[in-house]
């Protein structure tokens, strides 16, 4: 790294290809929104020769061109793949959104990759590096994924590169900050009148060579003797960090006794430590200036990816089962093995229809072959389990808005598959004769409700299909047809996620919807015992209507529902009409008796009544039963019952106080706290659901993006009188 021969083998307009798994590198870019991930990918594509000097592909677009919504919102909202070639290797660069609402796209990128580049902006405050970015780092650490750090925006740095490297060591290194060290130090040019000194090159700490980018192309220059004392401390620390992680235990003894360790040995050990996920180099990078061939640090970064990051052959292959759950065969990254591939992203292209981005873990995928599609485990999000055979359409590799055709995709590589009409994100593709299933990756739970309704009759006809296609593309979204409130609810991860969902419904599927207030499933119950008399007597010529019934109503314990008891004696209400009274009572209970919410947890006892031999009927006694219940409710206090959720909030210790205060302000009851790893606390509380509709957004603000929470229904309980009076003024929910 820094001493190898380098050069690109790609060419603008030609698809990046590989002939074996060992020549593939799958790398996901992770970082806070605005850290410069997409710009970095474009700089790498330029250096690799995948685009021309203006950063454009053949059709005039850029490598990051794909979604119109991204252009309008000026931010990435979905996972995208940019393949480039360097030194005989195909590098699949996976660009992920940095905004927390699109963490599902990030998780998909982590699933498809074998290594991660964490992009950190020097223009941001160091605190911005922590939080959500650190949580992703810990996820990668848990599975042993190799990681490196790239520092961007050095031209507008608030924090010096050396200081930022130290901060990254503290945040990401944990107990071993020396596992996070820089490989190069910035070389600064003449200072401008405003006091700013531009970064013109990099100094290799191992080689002690200067790589000058000031001409727009990387050139090696001799070291400056005056810099040697300043570089020696950083160089010694790097060498000690590499040796500490070396598999050769004799190196440390040799180093401590003053023996000279050659650079090739150090580089080899460095690459092994990076690939094992135990050493995390820090590099600097910047986009190319106008007319330049290479961006600062891009050559060094490409060398790290090809030399230090693992091939698809090295990580442990995922466990597979049969669709029925029986153990499957042990698979490996073998092009000749059984076919096992996974859909990591689903999108709709206006010209070719549905496109599925697929990572092949075993075997070889070819166009026009029939595969088995298995999808299980996401039924709670509107994805029914399915096992179907589908014919694979054309295979291609994306590049901007282009789709460049491929003849096949072997194990370890990624590609787009056309015309898989049933396959959804997270599904497994396998042989139709021996179907297999991979367990889907963990998806965040969408906790922000968005209630919608069709804008017009024409939209109503298209709404169901549009919603099903939307949810098929995005497994982090959950579709709910709420039976209690009769609302269509899209559960999203945040406001930006909801905005993108609405925009996709409108622009991609031609469905205009209106957002309406989200309703929780309130209930009503009696506050005490009461009686009621229902009299329905009408005479208008011919057969009339005659029914009278008298009932007693008393409250029952929570969860009892509606209990109907017949205590009529002497045939006051004929036996054939008692079910009619019950039907009328239950129908009125479903409509509510005070504010229009369903009545629950009461015992209704029919004790007397009157009938007419000619004019009594089923309909008359249904009406009388309903009238009796309404009269009974007029003489007693009716309690509104609201759903209460069990809420668990995981938050950094520094935000525990604000979180608990906020929960109390939402009429919540904190029932306990528990210290967890990583200086975080789990706060358990019970909170009325009506108070946490926007908690997904509010918690992010309170905790500066670091908080997580879950919710589960606990029970219905009486609502405070002042809140109940306000709800009655708003009317029922039509339940």
């Amino acid at each position: 790294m820094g001493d190898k021969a380098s050069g690109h083998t790609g060419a603008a307009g030609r698809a990046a290809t590989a002939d074996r798994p060992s020549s593939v590198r799958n790398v996901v870019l992770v970082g806070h929104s605005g850290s410069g991930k997409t710009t970095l990918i474009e700089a790498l594509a330029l250096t690799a020769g995948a685009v021309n000097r203006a950063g454009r592909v053949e059709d005039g677009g850029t490598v990051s061109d794909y979604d119109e919504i991204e252009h309008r919102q000026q931010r990435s909202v979905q996972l995208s793949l940019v393949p480039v070639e360097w030194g005989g290797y195909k590098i699949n660069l996976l660009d992920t959104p940095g905004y927390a609402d699109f963490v599902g796209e990030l998780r998909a990128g982590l699933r498809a990759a074998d290594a991660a580049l964490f992009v950190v902006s020097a223009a941001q405050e160091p605190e911005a590096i922590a939080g959500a970015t650190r949580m992703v780092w810990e996820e990668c650490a848990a599975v042993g994924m190799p990681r490196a750090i790239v520092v961007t925006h050095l031209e507008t740095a608030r924090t010096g590169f050396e200081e930022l490297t130290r901060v990254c060591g503290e945040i990401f290194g944990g107990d071993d900050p020396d596992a996070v060290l820089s490989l190069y130090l910035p070389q600064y040019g003449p200072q401008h009148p405003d006091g700013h000194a531009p970064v013109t090159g990099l100094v290799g700490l191992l080689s002690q060579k200067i790589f000058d980018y000031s001409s727009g192309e990387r050139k090696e220059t001799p070291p400056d003797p005056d810099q040697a004392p300043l570089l020696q401390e950083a160089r010694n620390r790097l060498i000690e960090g590499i040796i500490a992680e070396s598999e050769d235990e004799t190196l440390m003894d040799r180093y401590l006794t003053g023996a000279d360790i050659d650079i090739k040995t150090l580089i080899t050990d460095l690459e092994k430590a990076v690939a094992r996920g135990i050493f995390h180099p820090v590099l600097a990078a910047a986009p190319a200036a106008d007319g330049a061939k290479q961006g600062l640090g891009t050559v060094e970064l490409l060398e790290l990816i090809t030399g230090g990051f693992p091939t698809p052959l090295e990580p442990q292959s995922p466990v597979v089962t049969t669709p029925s759950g029986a153990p499957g065969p042990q698979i490996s990254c073998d092009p000749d093995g059984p076919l096992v591939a996974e859909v990591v992203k689903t999108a709709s292209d206006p010209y070719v229809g549905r496109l599925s981005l697929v990572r092949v873990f075993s075997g070889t995928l070819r166009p026009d072959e029939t595969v088995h599609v298995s999808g299980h485990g996401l039924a709670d999000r509107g994805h029914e389990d399915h096992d179907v055979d589908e014919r694979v359409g054309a295979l291609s590799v994306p590049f901007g808005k282009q789709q460049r055709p491929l003849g096949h995709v072997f194990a370890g590589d990624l590609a787009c598959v056309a015309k898989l009409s049933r396959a959804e994100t997270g599904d497994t593709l396998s042989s139709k004769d021996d179907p297999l299933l991979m367990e889907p990756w963990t998806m965040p739970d969408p906790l922000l409700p968005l209630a919608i309704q069709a804008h017009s009759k024409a939209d109503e006809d298209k709404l169901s299909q549009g919603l099903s296609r939307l949810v098929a593309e995005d497994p982090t979204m959950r579709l709910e047809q709420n039976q209690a409130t009769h609302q269509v609810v899209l559960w999203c991860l945040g406001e930006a996620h909801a905005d993108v969902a609405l925009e996709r419904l409108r622009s991609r599927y031609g469905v205009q919807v209106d957002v309406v207030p989200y309703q929780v499933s309130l209930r009503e119950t009696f506050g005490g015992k009461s009686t009621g008399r229902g009299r329905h007597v009408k005479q208008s010529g011919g057969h009339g209507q005659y029914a009278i019934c008298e009932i007693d109503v008393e409250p029952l314990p929570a969860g009892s529902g509606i209990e109907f008891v017949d205590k009529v004696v002497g045939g006051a209400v004929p036996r054939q009409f008692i079910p009619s009274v019950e039907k009328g009572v239950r129908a009125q209970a479903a409509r509510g008796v005070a504010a229009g919410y369903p009545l629950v947890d009461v015992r209704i006892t029919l004790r007397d009544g009157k009938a007419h031999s000619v004019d009594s009927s089923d309909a008359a006694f249904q009406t009388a039963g309903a009238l009796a219940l309404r009269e009974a409710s007029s003489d007693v206090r009716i309690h509104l019952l609201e759903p209460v959720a069990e809420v668990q909030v995981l938050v950094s210790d520094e935000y525990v106080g604000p979180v608990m205060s906020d929960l109390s302000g939402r009429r919540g009851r904190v029932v306990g706290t528990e210290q967890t790893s990583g200086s975080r606390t789990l706060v358990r509380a019970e909170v009325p659901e009506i108070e946490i509709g926007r908690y997904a957004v509010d918690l992010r603000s309170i905790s500066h993006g670091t908080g997580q929470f879950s919710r589960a229904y606990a029970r219905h309980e009486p609502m405070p009188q002042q809140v109940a009076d306000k709800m009655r003024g708003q009317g029922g929910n039509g339940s």
Side-chain angles (χ1 to χ4, degrees):
M1 300 176 194
D3 293 270
K4 296 182 177 181
S6 60
H8 69 77
T9 56
R14 183 168 66 83
T17 58
D19 56 2
R20 60 193 183 281
S22 60
S23 62
V24 175
R25 300 292 186 275
N26 297 312
V27 183
V28 61
L29 278 76
V30 178
H32 194 274
S33 182
S35 60
K37 299 182 297 297
T38 302
T39 303
L40 177 60
I41 284 181
E42 292 176 351
L44 293 172
L46 174 63
T47 297
V51 295
N52 59 33
R53 291 194 185 188
R56 317 299 286 184
V57 294
E58 282 182 328
D59 64 355
T62 66
V63 293
S64 57
D65 274 340
Y66 186 74
D67 197 309
E68 294 180 3
I69 298 175
E70 292 183 315
H71 289 294
R72 283 194 289 271
Q73 298 204 2
Q74 294 296 299
R75 63 181 167 200
S76 297
V77 301
Q78 63 180 359
L79 175 71
S80 62
L81 169 64
V82 177
V84 300
E85 286 186 35
W86 181 261
Y89 297 94
K90 179 187 179 185
I91 304 173
N92 289 316
L93 297 169
L94 292 154
D95 189 9
T96 63
Y99 200 66
D101 281 16
F102 307 105
V103 67
E105 302 284 325
L106 168 62
R107 296 275 176 83
L110 292 173
R111 179 71 161 216
D114 302 309
L117 286 176
F118 281 73
V119 184
V120 173
S121 172
Q124 294 174 325
E125 295 292 344
E127 293 78 11
I129 303 171
T133 305
R134 180 168 57 186
M135 287 189 287
V136 179
W137 181 278
E138 292 171 355
E139 284 186 36
C140 294
V143 297
M145 177 177 282
R147 287 143 284 153
I149 298 167
V150 184
V151 178
T152 60
H153 299 152
L154 288 171
E155 71 281 2
T156 57
R158 295 185 183 182
T159 307
F161 180 80
E162 293 85 349
E163 173 64 15
L164 197 54
T165 300
R166 185 192 65 78
V167 170
C168 287
E170 292 178 351
I171 294 174
F172 300 131
D175 297 332
D176 187 12
D178 285 341
V180 179
L181 295 172
S182 56
L183 299 183
Y184 305 87
L185 293 181
Q187 170 86 5
Y188 295 94
Q191 187 169 314
H192 289 171
D194 61 3
H196 173 68
V199 180
T200 58
L202 300 172
V203 182
L205 291 178
L206 292 182
S207 66
Q208 301 185 81
K209 296 176 181 178
I210 297 175
F211 303 101
D212 186 3
Y213 283 85
S214 60
S215 66
E217 191 169 2
R218 181 180 188 256
K219 295 180 180 179
E220 184 179 319
T221 62
D224 186 345
D226 295 338
Q227 292 181 310
L230 300 175
L231 298 175
Q232 196 60 43
E233 181 181 352
R235 185 175 191 270
N236 289 342
R237 189 180 178 196
L238 174 61
I239 292 175
E240 291 169 6
I242 295 171
I243 292 175
E245 305 296 348
S246 174
E247 295 177 326
D248 185 350
E249 297 180 358
T250 67
L251 282 183
M252 182 60 75
D253 293 335
R254 291 166 53 194
Y255 177 74
L256 293 176
T257 58
D260 184 37
I261 301 174
D262 66 277
I263 291 179
K264 288 185 178 180
T265 298
L266 290 172
I267 291 176
T268 300
D269 280 3
L270 169 64
E271 291 177 343
K272 288 181 180 178
V274 171
R276 287 159 55 204
I278 59 175
F279 186 84
H280 315 292
V282 182
L283 299 90
D290 291 344
K293 292 183 178 180
Q294 296 169 334
L296 174 79
T298 52
V299 172
E300 288 75 16
L301 189 51
L302 289 166
E303 288 179 349
L304 170 67
I305 291 171
T306 55
F309 282 169
T311 74
L313 297 167
E314 297 172 56
Q316 185 175 358
S317 297
V319 176
V320 297
T321 65
T322 66
S324 63
Q330 178 66 43
I331 65 168
S332 62
C333 186
D334 180 3
D336 297 322
L339 176 64
V340 178
E342 187 172 33
V343 179
V344 295
K345 178 176 177 55
T346 308
S348 295
D349 185 276
Y351 302 105
V352 299
R354 179 178 287 191
L355 277 176
S356 302
L357 179 61
V358 170
R359 162 78 190 255
V360 181
F361 287 92
S362 173
T364 300
L365 185 64
R366 294 180 173 84
D368 298 323
E369 70 176 332
T370 300
V371 299
H372 187 79
V373 179
S374 298
H376 296 254
L378 292 173
D380 62 328
R381 308 217 176 171
H383 301 258
E384 294 183 358
D385 291 351
H386 56 263
D387 290 289
V388 295
D389 289 340
E390 284 203 79
R391 187 172 183 177
V392 173
L395 302 179
S396 61
V397 58
F399 204 76
K401 292 183 177 179
Q402 301 176 0
Q403 292 291 332
R404 298 172 177 175
L406 293 175
H408 65 275
V409 187
F410 54 71
D413 207 354
L414 290 99
C416 287
V417 182
K419 298 181 180 178
L420 291 178
S421 60
R422 296 291 301 278
E424 300 179 356
T425 301
D427 284 357
T428 303
L429 310 183
S430 58
S431 167
K432 65 182 179 64
D433 298 322
D434 296 296
L436 297 171
L437 176 67
M438 293 175 61
E439 183 179 358
W441 60 90
T442 302
M443 290 290 181
D445 195 12
L447 295 169
L448 180 69
L450 182 73
I452 60 173
Q453 62 185 25
H455 181 71
S456 66
K457 181 63 171 68
D459 295 309
E460 190 173 327
D461 296 337
K462 297 181 290 184
L463 181 59
S464 178
Q465 183 180 13
L467 288 173
S468 63
R469 293 173 68 184
L470 182 70
V471 175
E473 291 184 15
D474 188 354
T476 64
M477 190 173 292
R478 178 162 56 89
L479 177 62
E480 176 190 10
Q481 304 277 352
N482 193 301
Q483 299 301 313
T485 63
H486 306 298
Q487 285 191 314
V488 176
V489 183
L490 277 176
W491 288 85
C492 306
L493 294 175
E495 288 181 309
H497 193 206
D499 290 343
V500 168
L502 295 176
E503 178 66 15
R504 283 182 175 157
L505 280 175
R506 184 192 64 80
S507 61
R508 188 174 292 177
Y509 305 126
V511 183
Q512 189 77 34
V513 297
D514 297 325
V515 177
V516 296
Y518 171 68
Q519 299 170 353
V520 300
S521 55
L522 300 180
R523 300 288 183 262
E524 300 174 355
T525 195
F526 276 53
K529 295 182 179 180
S530 183
T531 62
R533 184 172 188 267
R535 183 177 185 275
H536 184 62
V537 178
K538 290 187 177 180
Q539 189 68 45
S540 56
H543 284 298
Q545 299 181 49
Y546 189 98
I548 297 175
C549 61
E550 297 179 3
I551 62 173
D552 295 328
V553 184
E554 58 185 311
L556 293 176
S560 300
I562 299 290
E563 182 180 327
F564 183 83
V565 179
D566 169 25
K567 286 192 175 181
V568 174
V569 294
V573 176
R575 305 309 302 169
Q576 70 268 29
F577 294 133
I578 290 176
S580 304
V581 176
E582 181 178 0
K583 187 174 182 181
V585 164
R586 290 187 179 276
Q588 184 63 53
R591 292 192 295 269
V593 294
Y597 301 104
L599 179 71
V600 295
D601 303 334
V602 292
R603 177 183 292 123
I604 302 168
T605 302
L606 176 62
R607 57 178 171 80
D608 202 358
K610 292 182 180 180
H612 189 277
S613 60
V614 176
D615 293 340
S616 289
S617 64
D618 169 66
F621 271 99
Q622 284 191 45
T623 303
L627 291 172
L629 184 59
R630 279 155 54 182
E631 182 179 281
S633 69
S634 65
D635 293 331
V636 71
R637 170 170 287 184
I638 302 298
H639 292 306
L640 277 189
L641 304 177
E642 61 180 341
V644 175
E646 293 178 348
V647 176
Q648 295 190 354
V649 185
L650 183 62
V651 67
S652 299
D653 291 346
E654 59 191 299
Y655 300 118
V656 170
V659 164
M660 293 176 67
S661 176
D662 177 73
L663 290 173
S664 297
R666 298 172 187 269
R667 299 190 284 121
R669 297 181 295 273
V670 176
V671 297
T673 61
E674 178 183 329
Q675 197 69 33
T676 65
S677 61
S679 300
R680 287 180 285 185
T681 299
L682 182 69
V683 180
R684 295 189 301 273
E686 294 181 344
V687 191
E689 288 190 6
I690 200 170
E691 302 287 352
I692 55 173
R694 288 182 50 81
Y695 193 59
V697 177
D698 298 336
L699 176 61
R700 190 174 297 166
S701 175
I702 295 169
S703 65
H704 293 245
T706 64
Q708 300 173 314
F709 84 103
S710 63
R711 57 185 284 181
Y713 171 77
R715 62 188 174 276
H716 274 73
E717 64 181 35
M719 181 181 285
Q721 191 60 43
Q722 66 273 21
V723 182
D725 291 342
K726 181 180 178 181
M727 294 302 298
R728 289 190 180 97
Q730 295 175 357
N733 61 11
S735 297

